[in-house]
Amino acid sequence: MHRIGFVVFDGFQSMSFAALSVFESANMMLEQPFYEMHFISEHGGLVRSSTGMVVDSKPFGRIPFDTVIVGGGVSILESAPSGVLSFITKASKKSRRLASICTGTFVLGEAGVLDGKRATTHWAQARGFQARFPGVRMEEDRIFLIDGNIWTSAGMTAGIDLALAMAEKDLGEAIARSIAQQLVVYHRRAGGQSQHSALLELSPKSDRIQKTLAYAKENLHTTLSVEQLAEVANLSPRQFSRTFRVETGQSPAKAVENLRLEAAKLLMEQTRHSVDEIAQETGFLDRRRMREAFLRGFGQPPQTIRRNARVQA
């Protein structure tokens, strides 16, 4: 039995609970209670979230936990209760895994358990975190990070990716993939993936353009000409180009290049595929064209990005 303690405090954000759905789904899939989940707090009893929802919690110290997870909340950005900090310090030494979701990283930082370690948090709070905890290697453009027994994740939904990674480690990739399908989420965003998605930055308004971008992302290995994309949108090439620019602020060609760059960078960082293989897979056709796109987009060639990723790892 893997016992999970989910730390709550006055003003915690209930969106953090989304991560617990991963463990609940694992139990249902296995048809046995592999994970046992508890809400825990400094004094136990009822604890109120930022939305007014109340949960019943057990006090710290009663039972040991395999995994301890601290959720996010605005209320702990400045300072967490002393009892919470003391518990986190002990958990970092006794629990197999200690994790934070979103701004829960601030609790870990204040408890001193992140000193000398790599961590991430919500991108909007990353600079403030780094200024407050200079001894922590903040990597603000990551979905989640693992350093030793410490796991940290970005914004609230990134907690699902973190929990899926835990389930994968405990139960294997096949089970984790099935859990993701059950939850209707992507299995699974890699920890090193950027918090900033090219698709999110484009923010298309209409279903037609959204559908076209989704098609482009799934078919990066093809040419993706304006004519091809316009056919997916059921528009003439001229109408499509005009509508696309109005909705996204970019030309179709520029948007496709950004999608190719995002995919190629991820493959450079997380696989051993050759530069030529990645160029083919992401539609750049050859290493020269991909190198030129990397220099435009990142100011560095692909090999430098791969080398930096390996050094960080």
Side-chain angles (χ1 to χ4, degrees):
M1 177 77 71
H2 288 59
R3 189 175 289 121
I4 297 174
F6 193 91
V7 178
V8 291
F9 44 83
D10 285 335
F12 73 91
Q13 290 179 300
S14 52
M15 181 63 181
S16 303
F17 290 168
L20 296 181
S21 297
V22 171
F23 306 117
E24 179 187 20
S25 295
N27 287 343
M28 291 189 293
M29 200 161 294
L30 296 170
E31 298 183 345
Q32 60 177 321
F34 184 85
Y35 294 108
E36 180 182 289
M37 293 167 281
H38 300 269
F39 292 116
I40 53 176
S41 65
E42 184 175 7
H43 304 295
L46 301 180
V47 181
R48 186 178 297 275
S49 75
S50 59
T51 61
M53 182 180 68
V54 175
V55 298
D56 196 6
S57 65
K58 292 180 171 64
F60 296 149
R62 292 283 182 86
I63 51 178
F65 293 97
D66 174 78
T67 300
V68 171
I69 302 175
V70 183
V74 176
S75 61
I76 44 83
L77 286 177
E78 295 299 324
S79 182
S82 59
V84 172
L85 298 177
S86 176
F87 173 75
I88 292 302
T89 302
K90 294 174 183 176
S92 69
K93 300 171 183 176
K94 294 182 178 181
S95 296
R96 180 166 65 99
R97 294 184 294 222
L98 173 62
S100 65
I101 296 174
C102 196
T103 52
T105 309
F106 279 77
V107 177
L108 273 56
E110 192 176 355
V113 301
L114 291 178
D115 291 346
K117 292 184 177 292
R118 299 161 62 225
T120 193
T121 189
H122 191 288
W123 62 267
Q125 301 293 341
R127 301 293 172 85
F129 182 97
Q130 187 67 87
R132 184 174 168 189
F133 305 109
V136 182
R137 293 171 55 193
M138 172 52 58
E139 298 188 17
E140 62 182 87
D141 199 26
R142 291 291 183 265
I143 295 295
F144 66 87
L145 274 172
I146 307 169
D147 194 334
N149 72 325
I150 307 291
W151 300 51
T152 56
S153 73
M156 294 295 179
T157 59
I160 298 175
D161 300 284
L162 179 143
L164 282 169
M166 288 181 175
E168 183 174 316
K169 190 171 185 65
D170 296 338
L171 301 168
E173 182 180 352
I175 293 294
R177 187 178 300 278
S178 296
I179 294 170
Q181 291 173 343
Q182 181 70 29
L183 297 176
V184 198
V185 296
Y186 181 77
H187 176 79
R188 67 176 162 78
R189 292 183 296 178
Q193 185 171 329
S194 172
Q195 292 187 39
H196 303 282
S197 163
L199 283 179
L200 288 178
E201 290 175 359
L202 288 168
S203 299
K205 306 297 187 297
S206 68
D207 290 343
R208 281 181 172 179
I209 302 302
Q210 289 176 6
K211 177 183 175 183
T212 304
L213 285 169
Y215 173 86
K217 190 168 183 178
E218 293 297 320
N219 293 275
L220 291 176
H221 60 285
T222 67
T223 56
L224 294 176
S225 65
V226 169
E227 290 75 17
Q228 184 180 351
L229 296 175
E231 185 176 346
V232 173
N234 198 27
L235 294 169
S236 70
R238 185 175 179 181
Q239 280 181 307
F240 171 74
S241 295
R242 183 170 59 248
T243 302
F244 191 96
R245 186 178 288 276
V246 168
E247 291 196 21
T248 68
Q250 295 183 18
S251 68
K254 182 63 177 175
V256 167
E257 180 173 287
N258 287 339
L259 290 173
R260 294 193 200 281
L261 275 173
E262 184 175 75
K265 181 175 182 286
L266 193 61
L267 289 171
M268 287 298 299
E269 291 177 335
Q270 300 187 7
T271 74
R272 294 184 178 274
H273 298 336
S274 70
V275 175
D276 290 320
E277 288 172 331
I278 293 173
Q280 286 289 331
E281 188 171 338
T282 55
F284 284 111
L285 301 183
D286 60 53
R287 62 191 301 148
R288 178 184 62 81
R289 289 187 178 90
M290 189 170 86
R291 185 177 190 279
E292 291 172 352
F294 266 64
L295 290 172
R296 285 194 300 271
F298 306 124
Q300 296 177 323
Q303 293 89 338
T304 299
I305 285 177
R306 170 168 279 175
R307 185 166 59 251
N308 290 342
R310 288 177 177 172
V311 168
Q312 289 178 355

